[in-house]
Amino acid sequence: MRVLLIGSGGREHALAVGLSADPAVEELIAAPGNPGIASVATLRDVAAADPAAVAALAVEVGADLVVVGPEAPLVAGVADAVRAKGIACFGPSAAAAQLEGSKAFAKDVMSAAGVPTGRAYTCTTPDEVAAALQEFGPPYVVKNDGLAAGKGVVVTDSLPAATQHAEECGRVVIEEFLDGPEVSLFVVTDGTAAVPLMPAQDFKRVADGDEGPNTGGMGAYAPLPWAPADLVERVMAETVEPTLAEMRKRGTPFAGLLYVGLALTRTGPKVIEFNARFGDPETQVVLALLASPLGELLNAAATGTLAGFPPLRWHDGAAVTVVVASHNYPGTPRTGDVIEGGERPGVIHAGTARREDGALVSAGGRVLSVTATGADLAAARAAAYDLVKGVTLEGSHHRTDIALAAVEGRIQL
Ligand code: AMP
């Protein structure tokens, strides 16, 4: 199988590592890719969010399967354009990707499907915003309706800060605060059959102790030793199956990766958000533990044959990933700093570039993540932080408490 992978971040580097390890994947081409992905794939240039350009590249390289990593190309209709050329594509149509592209659309689907989630209002005027904030009270949860790279959500006790975020966004979803540990569940689906991967936890806030602003994600680990034994079964029955059924009923089946972000509240798991693609950096840990062939799995979802796919196999043990971010991230990051120790096994590239003289330099906010596995979570965590020590990048920062509460048994349900 000849696979074309679209994207250039850490998620795509992790996908590229997984795809290239699958014997069924004879050739892996990534576009535009990054210097880390270049070690396992042939790179091509492409405007990833341009449906015609991606479809043309898929034809040119003779792809049997296109895997679309990021959300923006999906929302722009890249998967539709690829399929229109008769090429299998892992990733939802533009219509189905609205589950991520619009928080208001996602809320509407959840409501029609009876999915457990926070109560919410979609607001466009200052009066609507004020009324919704008053009804829910603090902590206030204000979400930009459209795509915002994981940074459109403000959770705050400050009424002025909540109001200001709503003003800046224009159209927002204001939601009741959901209290409880967060879980990310990835579900591979062909629109009808659905296969859950291993639940993971990510760390959205920039600083230790969940302090500071939200980011795209600063680290992740799996499995979750504290999660209820029936968690996946329950979320599949209460959330995933009804959502997929509702999308089929609307004539826009969702095929690809349904990312379910959940809060495990006292009254059960409730959806915080849907995404239409693999999460970053949870992908790094989930794929590090997946023993089944990734290319064949994604191809089964892309060709409507997932029901016949053998049960997933997993490696024993645990995985931890720690993100190393640029100076000033999640504000405007400083780029162009030289990275030392960035080309060892376990280092996943996200925002890196190759300078003309060959040096590896930072080129984004989340520069790289280091991923390690171990016999248990404590061992995986220790191995990941050992890897972090081997990376130097001036001005960079990382969290020191990824997976720590889980290792110490401090997560309460
Ligand atoms: P989202 O982009 O919707 O995942 O939101 C980003 C982050 O904001 C989530 O991972 C949560 O940490 C937090 N968040 C979003 N919605 C809520 C909510 N209703 N209650 C509590 N925290 C939330």
Side-chain angles (χ1 to χ4, degrees):
M1 180 164 49
R2 194 178 271 233
V3 180
L4 172 63
L5 171 65
I6 302 300
S8 62
R11 162 188 42 230
E12 288 76 30
H13 190 181
L15 284 165
V17 170
L19 288 167
S20 65
D22 181 344
V25 178
E26 286 142 0
E27 193 176 349
L28 180 62
I29 302 128
N34 68 35
I37 296 172
S39 62
V40 289
T42 307
L43 299 195
R44 292 291 302 262
D45 203 17
V46 78
D50 178 344
V54 174
L57 180 61
V59 171
E60 186 194 325
V61 302
D64 302 299
L65 172 69
V66 176
V67 175
V68 182
E71 61 275 19
L74 294 166
V75 170
V78 163
D80 307 79
V82 169
R83 282 193 276 266
K85 299 281 184 199
I87 298 171
C89 185
F90 182 78
S93 65
Q98 281 302 301
L99 273 185
E100 172 164 6
S102 164
K103 302 255 184 211
F105 175 83
K107 280 289 178 193
D108 184 58
V109 169
M110 284 189 257
S111 159
V115 166
T117 185
R119 288 188 303 120
Y121 295 104
T122 302
C123 306
T124 47
T125 68
D127 285 351
E128 287 169 354
V129 167
L133 291 175
Q134 197 193 350
E135 178 177 333
F136 292 134
Y140 303 102
V141 180
V142 182
K143 303 185 173 189
N144 195 338
D145 179 45
L147 286 185
K151 285 171 274 182
V153 177
V154 162
V155 181
T156 175
D157 284 326
S158 154
L159 185 57
T163 307
Q164 192 192 341
H165 184 59
E167 253 172 46
E168 285 164 5
C169 294
R171 187 175 149 97
V172 290
V173 170
I174 294 180
E175 190 175 72
E176 87 181 282
F177 180 77
L178 298 175
D179 202 9
E182 287 182 37
V183 170
S184 305
L185 181 67
F186 296 169
V187 179
V188 174
T189 175
D190 59 12
T192 305
V195 175
L197 304 188
M198 181 184 285
Q201 187 172 53
D202 80 339
F203 292 75
K204 282 267 190 273
R205 301 284 186 139
V206 72
D208 283 1
D210 292 329
E211 299 288 338
N214 270 333
T215 67
M218 294 298 290
Y221 68 94
L224 311 177
W226 45 268
D230 67 347
L231 175 66
V232 172
E233 200 183 333
R234 184 168 176 185
V235 173
M236 291 302 287
E238 290 180 354
T239 293
V240 175
E241 301 293 355
T243 299
L244 295 179
E246 176 64 23
M247 294 300 283
R248 289 195 298 272
K249 195 172 120 192
R250 292 177 181 220
T252 53
F254 184 98
L257 196 290
L258 181 64
Y259 168 126
V260 188
L262 300 148
L264 303 197
T265 72
R266 238 167 293 163
T267 54
K270 291 191 177 171
V271 176
I272 285 187
E273 64 164 341
F274 284 138
N275 290 325
R277 38 75 196 176
F278 282 94
D280 191 345
E282 300 98 309
T283 303
Q284 282 83 317
V285 290
V286 172
L287 295 188
L289 295 171
L290 181 69
S292 297
L294 182 64
E296 290 191 53
L297 174 66
L298 303 188
N299 190 51
T303 54
T305 57
L306 195 59
F309 198 79
L312 295 188
R313 292 177 289 109
W314 295 94
H315 297 297
D316 289 337
V320 172
T321 193
V322 179
V323 169
V324 176
S326 301
H327 177 71
N328 204 40
Y329 177 79
T332 308
R334 192 173 82 198
T335 57
D337 288 305
V338 173
I339 304 162
E340 304 282 359
E343 291 176 89
R344 286 167 308 144
V347 178
I348 296 284
H349 290 208
T352 67
R354 189 70 70 189
R355 214 168 53 184
E356 263 179 26
D357 63 0
L360 189 67
V361 295
S362 60
R366 294 189 296 167
V367 178
L368 50 86
S369 64
V370 300
T371 307
T373 55
D376 58 18
L377 210 45
R381 181 170 190 279
Y385 278 105
D386 268 351
L387 270 172
V388 171
K389 276 189 219 141
V391 175
T392 28
L393 169 62
E394 202 188 306
S396 69
H397 58 96
H398 63 269
R399 282 185 62 158
T400 67
D401 64 349
I402 303 301
L404 184 59
V407 167
E408 293 180 345
R410 284 192 279 114
I411 300 190
Q412 304 290 328
L413 290 181

mmCIF file with all atom_site columns, all heavy atoms in Angstrom, residues 44-55:
data_model
loop_
_atom_site.group_PDB
_atom_site.id
_atom_site.type_symbol
_atom_site.label_atom_id
_atom_site.label_alt_id
_atom_site.label_comp_id
_atom_site.label_asym_id
_atom_site.label_entity_id
_atom_site.label_seq_id
_atom_site.pdbx_PDB_ins_code
_atom_site.Cartn_x
_atom_site.Cartn_y
_atom_site.Cartn_z
_atom_site.occupancy
_atom_site.B_iso_or_equiv
_atom_site.pdbx_formal_charge
_atom_site.auth_seq_id
_atom_site.auth_comp_id
_atom_site.auth_asym_id
_atom_site.auth_atom_id
_atom_site.pdbx_PDB_model_num
ATOM 1  N N   . ARG A 1 44 ? 6.974   15.669 0.389  1.00 0.00 ? 44 ARG A N   1
ATOM 2  C CA  . ARG A 1 44 ? 6.550   16.478 -0.752 1.00 0.00 ? 44 ARG A CA  1
ATOM 3  C C   . ARG A 1 44 ? 5.954   17.758 -0.202 1.00 0.00 ? 44 ARG A C   1
ATOM 4  O O   . ARG A 1 44 ? 5.450   17.784 0.911  1.00 0.00 ? 44 ARG A O   1
ATOM 5  C CB  . ARG A 1 44 ? 5.482   15.721 -1.571 1.00 0.00 ? 44 ARG A CB  1
ATOM 6  C CG  . ARG A 1 44 ? 6.001   14.490 -2.278 1.00 0.00 ? 44 ARG A CG  1
ATOM 7  C CD  . ARG A 1 44 ? 6.957   14.853 -3.411 1.00 0.00 ? 44 ARG A CD  1
ATOM 8  N NE  . ARG A 1 44 ? 6.339   15.728 -4.393 1.00 0.00 ? 44 ARG A NE  1
ATOM 9  C CZ  . ARG A 1 44 ? 5.811   15.319 -5.547 1.00 0.00 ? 44 ARG A CZ  1
ATOM 10 N NH1 . ARG A 1 44 ? 5.850   14.034 -5.868 1.00 0.00 ? 44 ARG A NH1 1
ATOM 11 N NH2 . ARG A 1 44 ? 5.265   16.170 -6.384 1.00 0.00 ? 44 ARG A NH2 1
ATOM 12 N N   . ASP A 1 45 ? 5.985   18.805 -0.990 1.00 0.00 ? 45 ASP A N   1
ATOM 13 C CA  . ASP A 1 45 ? 5.392   20.048 -0.536 1.00 0.00 ? 45 ASP A CA  1
ATOM 14 C C   . ASP A 1 45 ? 3.932   20.086 -0.973 1.00 0.00 ? 45 ASP A C   1
ATOM 15 O O   . ASP A 1 45 ? 3.602   19.597 -2.053 1.00 0.00 ? 45 ASP A O   1
ATOM 16 C CB  . ASP A 1 45 ? 6.157   21.236 -1.128 1.00 0.00 ? 45 ASP A CB  1
ATOM 17 C CG  . ASP A 1 45 ? 5.970   22.479 -0.272 1.00 0.00 ? 45 ASP A CG  1
ATOM 18 O OD1 . ASP A 1 45 ? 5.548   22.319 0.903  1.00 0.00 ? 45 ASP A OD1 1
ATOM 19 O OD2 . ASP A 1 45 ? 6.220   23.586 -0.771 1.00 0.00 ? 45 ASP A OD2 1
ATOM 20 N N   . VAL A 1 46 ? 3.071   20.650 -0.124 1.00 0.00 ? 46 VAL A N   1
ATOM 21 C CA  . VAL A 1 46 ? 1.682   20.856 -0.532 1.00 0.00 ? 46 VAL A CA  1
ATOM 22 C C   . VAL A 1 46 ? 1.057   21.888 0.400  1.00 0.00 ? 46 VAL A C   1
ATOM 23 O O   . VAL A 1 46 ? 1.481   22.023 1.549  1.00 0.00 ? 46 VAL A O   1
ATOM 24 C CB  . VAL A 1 46 ? 0.870   19.533 -0.482 1.00 0.00 ? 46 VAL A CB  1
ATOM 25 C CG1 . VAL A 1 46 ? 0.460   19.162 0.936  1.00 0.00 ? 46 VAL A CG1 1
ATOM 26 C CG2 . VAL A 1 46 ? -0.362  19.588 -1.379 1.00 0.00 ? 46 VAL A CG2 1
ATOM 27 N N   . ALA A 1 47 ? 0.085   22.620 -0.114 1.00 0.00 ? 47 ALA A N   1
ATOM 28 C CA  . ALA A 1 47 ? -0.741  23.466 0.748  1.00 0.00 ? 47 ALA A CA  1
ATOM 29 C C   . ALA A 1 47 ? -1.786  22.530 1.344  1.00 0.00 ? 47 ALA A C   1
ATOM 30 O O   . ALA A 1 47 ? -2.744  22.149 0.671  1.00 0.00 ? 47 ALA A O   1
ATOM 31 C CB  . ALA A 1 47 ? -1.380  24.591 -0.060 1.00 0.00 ? 47 ALA A CB  1
ATOM 32 N N   . ALA A 1 48 ? -1.578  22.132 2.619  1.00 0.00 ? 48 ALA A N   1
ATOM 33 C CA  . ALA A 1 48 ? -2.351  21.024 3.198  1.00 0.00 ? 48 ALA A CA  1
ATOM 34 C C   . ALA A 1 48 ? -3.855  21.298 3.237  1.00 0.00 ? 48 ALA A C   1
ATOM 35 O O   . ALA A 1 48 ? -4.649  20.364 3.190  1.00 0.00 ? 48 ALA A O   1
ATOM 36 C CB  . ALA A 1 48 ? -1.839  20.724 4.609  1.00 0.00 ? 48 ALA A CB  1
ATOM 37 N N   . ALA A 1 49 ? -4.248  22.571 3.316  1.00 0.00 ? 49 ALA A N   1
ATOM 38 C CA  . ALA A 1 49 ? -5.682  22.877 3.426  1.00 0.00 ? 49 ALA A CA  1
ATOM 39 C C   . ALA A 1 49 ? -6.307  23.203 2.069  1.00 0.00 ? 49 ALA A C   1
ATOM 40 O O   . ALA A 1 49 ? -7.430  23.705 2.013  1.00 0.00 ? 49 ALA A O   1
ATOM 41 C CB  . ALA A 1 49 ? -5.897  24.024 4.412  1.00 0.00 ? 49 ALA A CB  1
ATOM 42 N N   . ASP A 1 50 ? -5.589  22.904 0.984  1.00 0.00 ? 50 ASP A N   1
ATOM 43 C CA  . ASP A 1 50 ? -6.117  23.165 -0.363 1.00 0.00 ? 50 ASP A CA  1
ATOM 44 C C   . ASP A 1 50 ? -6.588  21.829 -0.960 1.00 0.00 ? 50 ASP A C   1
ATOM 45 O O   . ASP A 1 50 ? -5.769  21.005 -1.385 1.00 0.00 ? 50 ASP A O   1
ATOM 46 C CB  . ASP A 1 50 ? -5.010  23.794 -1.211 1.00 0.00 ? 50 ASP A CB  1
ATOM 47 C CG  . ASP A 1 50 ? -5.460  24.053 -2.656 1.00 0.00 ? 50 ASP A CG  1
ATOM 48 O OD1 . ASP A 1 50 ? -6.490  23.482 -3.085 1.00 0.00 ? 50 ASP A OD1 1
ATOM 49 O OD2 . ASP A 1 50 ? -4.764  24.814 -3.349 1.00 0.00 ? 50 ASP A OD2 1
ATOM 50 N N   . PRO A 1 51 ? -7.916  21.591 -0.982 1.00 0.00 ? 51 PRO A N   1
ATOM 51 C CA  . PRO A 1 51 ? -8.419  20.280 -1.409 1.00 0.00 ? 51 PRO A CA  1
ATOM 52 C C   . PRO A 1 51 ? -7.930  19.876 -2.800 1.00 0.00 ? 51 PRO A C   1
ATOM 53 O O   . PRO A 1 51 ? -7.492  18.728 -2.993 1.00 0.00 ? 51 PRO A O   1
ATOM 54 C CB  . PRO A 1 51 ? -9.942  20.464 -1.400 1.00 0.00 ? 51 PRO A CB  1
ATOM 55 C CG  . PRO A 1 51 ? -10.178 21.556 -0.402 1.00 0.00 ? 51 PRO A CG  1
ATOM 56 C CD  . PRO A 1 51 ? -9.004  22.479 -0.530 1.00 0.00 ? 51 PRO A CD  1
ATOM 57 N N   . ALA A 1 52 ? -7.940  20.799 -3.757 1.00 0.00 ? 52 ALA A N   1
ATOM 58 C CA  . ALA A 1 52 ? -7.532  20.438 -5.122 1.00 0.00 ? 52 ALA A CA  1
ATOM 59 C C   . ALA A 1 52 ? -6.055  20.062 -5.162 1.00 0.00 ? 52 ALA A C   1
ATOM 60 O O   . ALA A 1 52 ? -5.653  19.104 -5.844 1.00 0.00 ? 52 ALA A O   1
ATOM 61 C CB  . ALA A 1 52 ? -7.821  21.597 -6.081 1.00 0.00 ? 52 ALA A CB  1
ATOM 62 N N   . ALA A 1 53 ? -5.238  20.792 -4.401 1.00 0.00 ? 53 ALA A N   1
ATOM 63 C CA  . ALA A 1 53 ? -3.792  20.522 -4.403 1.00 0.00 ? 53 ALA A CA  1
ATOM 64 C C   . ALA A 1 53 ? -3.486  19.162 -3.778 1.00 0.00 ? 53 ALA A C   1
ATOM 65 O O   . ALA A 1 53 ? -2.663  18.400 -4.304 1.00 0.00 ? 53 ALA A O   1
ATOM 66 C CB  . ALA A 1 53 ? -3.056  21.634 -3.641 1.00 0.00 ? 53 ALA A CB  1
ATOM 67 N N   . VAL A 1 54 ? -4.149  18.840 -2.684 1.00 0.00 ? 54 VAL A N   1
ATOM 68 C CA  . VAL A 1 54 ? -3.906  17.546 -2.032 1.00 0.00 ? 54 VAL A CA  1
ATOM 69 C C   . VAL A 1 54 ? -4.392  16.410 -2.926 1.00 0.00 ? 54 VAL A C   1
ATOM 70 O O   . VAL A 1 54 ? -3.688  15.393 -3.100 1.00 0.00 ? 54 VAL A O   1
ATOM 71 C CB  . VAL A 1 54 ? -4.580  17.481 -0.639 1.00 0.00 ? 54 VAL A CB  1
ATOM 72 C CG1 . VAL A 1 54 ? -4.453  16.077 -0.047 1.00 0.00 ? 54 VAL A CG1 1
ATOM 73 C CG2 . VAL A 1 54 ? -3.971  18.514 0.305  1.00 0.00 ? 54 VAL A CG2 1
ATOM 74 N N   . ALA A 1 55 ? -5.575  16.576 -3.533 1.00 0.00 ? 55 ALA A N   1
ATOM 75 C CA  . ALA A 1 55 ? -6.110  15.526 -4.406 1.00 0.00 ? 55 ALA A CA  1
ATOM 76 C C   . ALA A 1 55 ? -5.176  15.296 -5.591 1.00 0.00 ? 55 ALA A C   1
ATOM 77 O O   . ALA A 1 55 ? -4.905  14.154 -5.985 1.00 0.00 ? 55 ALA A O   1
ATOM 78 C CB  . ALA A 1 55 ? -7.519  15.893 -4.874 1.00 0.00 ? 55 ALA A CB  1
#
